[in-house]
Amino acid sequence: MSVIDTVTRDLLDKTEFLTIVTEGPDGPHVVGNWGDYLRRLGFDEDRLVLPAGYYRKTEENLQRNKRVQVLVASRSVQGSHGPGQGCVLRGTGVILEEGELAERAKAAFPWARGALVITVESVDTQL
């Protein structure tokens, strides 16, 4: 069964920006990525693939604790109370510098050193 449901898929298809949160020794660490970058590399039933440029602190955090949260939103997706829907995707992440996903990221984005791959375990809608 797909973790990424129809509403979440619609959000991922329309979001402009993603907020990515990892946990470091000093607390939460927040980075972002563009929605069109996600769409170029793809997402499926339970996985997001994003280009990883620097993301050094994110990588350090993921090596200690693979837990990650991603916030996406779009005003063009109908929400529960009007226009606008968001969701938090929770799961685990890893930065890959080798392999098929890393090579796909590097080919699409010459500045990327690899791919941030997030395995989604749960989704909670917001708004």
Side-chain angles (χ1 to χ4, degrees):
M1 184 172 136
S2 177
V3 176
I4 298 177
D5 61 15
T6 304
V7 171
T8 306
R9 185 168 299 279
D10 197 19
L11 279 167
L12 294 171
D13 280 333
K14 294 178 178 162
T15 191
E16 183 175 321
F17 187 80
L18 297 89
T19 303
I20 303 158
V21 182
T22 57
E23 183 70 28
D26 299 323
H29 175 70
V30 179
V31 296
N33 213 309
W34 297 110
D36 61 330
Y37 288 8
L38 170 70
R39 290 183 287 278
R40 282 178 65 187
L41 294 182
F43 57 91
D44 56 29
E45 295 180 347
D46 68 350
R47 183 178 68 184
L48 311 177
V49 182
L50 294 156
Y54 293 100
Y55 280 179
R56 299 293 182 194
K57 186 72 164 172
T58 299
E59 183 174 34
E60 288 174 20
N61 291 345
L62 292 173
Q63 288 172 349
R64 280 192 293 269
N65 178 354
K66 294 187 181 302
R67 306 300 306 157
V68 64
Q69 294 186 34
V70 179
L71 176 66
V72 297
S74 175
R75 286 190 161 190
S76 63
V77 176
Q78 182 63 35
S80 304
H81 307 287
Q85 182 67 58
C87 72
V88 176
L89 299 93
R90 292 179 179 85
T92 58
V94 64
I95 293 180
L96 302 175
E97 293 187 18
E98 297 178 354
E100 188 268 328
L101 294 175
E103 295 309 314
R104 187 167 37 152
K106 292 174 191 179
F109 303 96
W111 49 262
R113 64 185 177 100
L116 169 58
V117 180
I118 299 169
T119 301
V120 180
E121 297 170 354
S122 68
V123 176
D124 294 311
T125 56
Q126 309 275 318
L127 307 173

